Amino acid sequence: MTGNVGITRLWPDPVAAALDDPALIALYPRVERPHLRMNFVASIDGAVELDGHSAGLSSAPDKRVFGLLRMVCDALLVGAGTLRHEAYRALKLDERRRAWRREHGLAEYPTLVVVSRALNLDPSSAAFADAPVRPVVVTAERAEAPPGLADVADLVRRGDEQVDLAAGLAELHRRGHRQLLSEGGPHLFGSLTAAGLVDEVCLTVAPMLTGPGAGRITAGPTTTPHGMSLRHVLAAGDELLLRYARS
Ligand SMILES: NC(=O)c1ccc[n+]([C@@H]2O[C@H](COP(=O)([O-])OP(=O)(O)OC[C@H]3O[C@@H](n4cnc5c(N)ncnc54)[C@H](OP(=O)(O)O)[C@@H]3O)[C@@H](O)[C@H]2O)c1
């Protein structure tokens, strides 16, 4: 496993020296137009989890980029399955990162956005109850909200029976959340891919073979394959951090 080692750039323009935070942030730029960036970690043989959680695949360099990507986004989009399974806490940033956001004209905290059709969400869970800014739940018109959820989150209803993700994202853009980061999970990624909404994929390849059993980073409806362009390859010991964007 890769420990607390520096991150270097292999491509383009190899840089042998370890990248500091400003150099790393510059490699994950915000863009002018609304933009959806996905961030995942997978094993070499494609597993999305180890012993049920993504933490088993992650490492210090992966966590470092994970944290920086949160710092530079307007809103963090996550599927209800990942929120529940990974027991998401409130989306808080330390003072250094909040200062960076203020200096760059961003809201002090990114907004947590949960995508759910079933609305099997606990309003008293930390992700909602301790949130520094009111989270948003993107759901369908016919979804029945549990008591108390509307007290702790804005419900954005788009689509009648099923969630209309394109309309949901358009409403997030309208609210000023133009740079969206999604930490998954696989079903949300599959739906976003099917709807043609994914602009960028950041993928950490954890240097592990975990064998069969685990799912992939995507799940759900089948889609027409389409190419992506490689933007950079970073390395941290045996681990690779790849960034692909819409061609
Ligand atoms: N390796 C990684 O980087 C990584 C990242 C994230 C997650 N994971 C792993 O992935 C696993 C969880 O997988 P998952 O597929 O269940 O995660 P998920 O996509 O976050 O959750 C699925 C749930 O999210 C909601 N959802 C997703 N797409 C939707 C859509 N288009 N419309 C309405 N609701 C939608 C639904 O919630 P409702 O049931 O409430 O309707 C659905 O049941 C865990 O093992 C986790 O550790 C790994």
Side-chain angles (χ1 to χ4, degrees):
M1 260 314 272
T2 304
N4 199 1
V5 298
I7 300 177
T8 58
R9 183 165 70 196
L10 298 184
W11 186 93
D13 307 325
V15 177
L19 298 163
D20 60 12
D21 278 359
L24 210 42
I25 291 164
L27 292 173
Y28 296 94
R30 290 171 59 88
V31 290
E32 283 305 309
R33 62 187 181 284
H35 188 85
L36 174 62
R37 168 182 284 159
M38 308 295 308
N39 185 32
F40 279 98
V41 58
S43 66
I44 300 169
D45 51 357
V48 70
E49 44 86 2
L50 186 62
D51 299 329
H53 296 273
S54 55
L57 299 171
S58 191
S59 63
D62 176 60
K63 288 189 179 76
R64 185 172 160 215
V65 170
F66 181 95
L68 291 177
L69 295 186
R70 282 187 168 191
M71 183 181 77
V72 302
C73 74
D74 295 323
L76 171 64
L77 195 67
V78 69
T82 296
L83 183 94
R84 291 187 290 254
H85 191 79
E86 301 272 351
Y88 264 51
R89 288 176 296 176
L91 188 48
K92 292 184 178 168
L93 303 179
D94 63 24
E95 173 49 33
R96 193 172 53 93
R97 291 191 167 163
R98 297 206 303 277
W100 186 94
R101 289 179 65 86
R102 286 193 298 271
E103 281 161 23
H104 289 81
L106 307 182
E108 192 156 3
Y109 294 94
T111 297
L112 177 68
V113 179
V114 183
V115 179
S116 172
R117 168 62 183 86
L119 290 182
N120 178 17
L121 301 170
D122 178 2
S124 68
S125 64
F128 294 109
D130 297 343
V133 290
R134 195 171 160 83
V136 172
V137 177
V138 176
T139 190
E141 293 287 356
R142 294 188 189 221
E144 204 172 316
L149 187 62
D151 296 336
V152 294
D154 281 2
L155 269 62
V156 168
R157 295 180 182 274
R158 293 293 183 276
D160 184 32
E161 193 59 54
Q162 299 303 321
V163 178
D164 181 336
L165 287 172
L169 263 56
E171 172 59 14
L172 297 176
H173 300 154
R174 196 191 65 74
R175 292 174 177 224
H177 305 315
R178 292 166 61 85
Q179 305 292 305
L180 301 174
L181 169 68
S182 178
E183 294 172 357
H187 280 92
L188 180 58
F189 185 25
S191 309
L192 291 165
T193 303
L197 295 169
V198 175
D199 296 305
E200 182 178 325
V201 179
C202 298
L203 176 67
T204 299
V205 181
M208 271 186 261
L209 295 175
T210 65
R216 291 173 51 201
I217 61 172
T218 191
T222 54
T223 49
T224 310
H226 61 274
M228 302 281 283
S229 297
L230 184 62
R231 293 299 156 89
H232 70 223
V233 179
L234 309 182
D238 295 320
E239 187 167 273
L240 291 180
L241 297 102
L242 310 173
R243 176 173 170 251
Y244 284 91
R246 199 188 276 279
S247 298

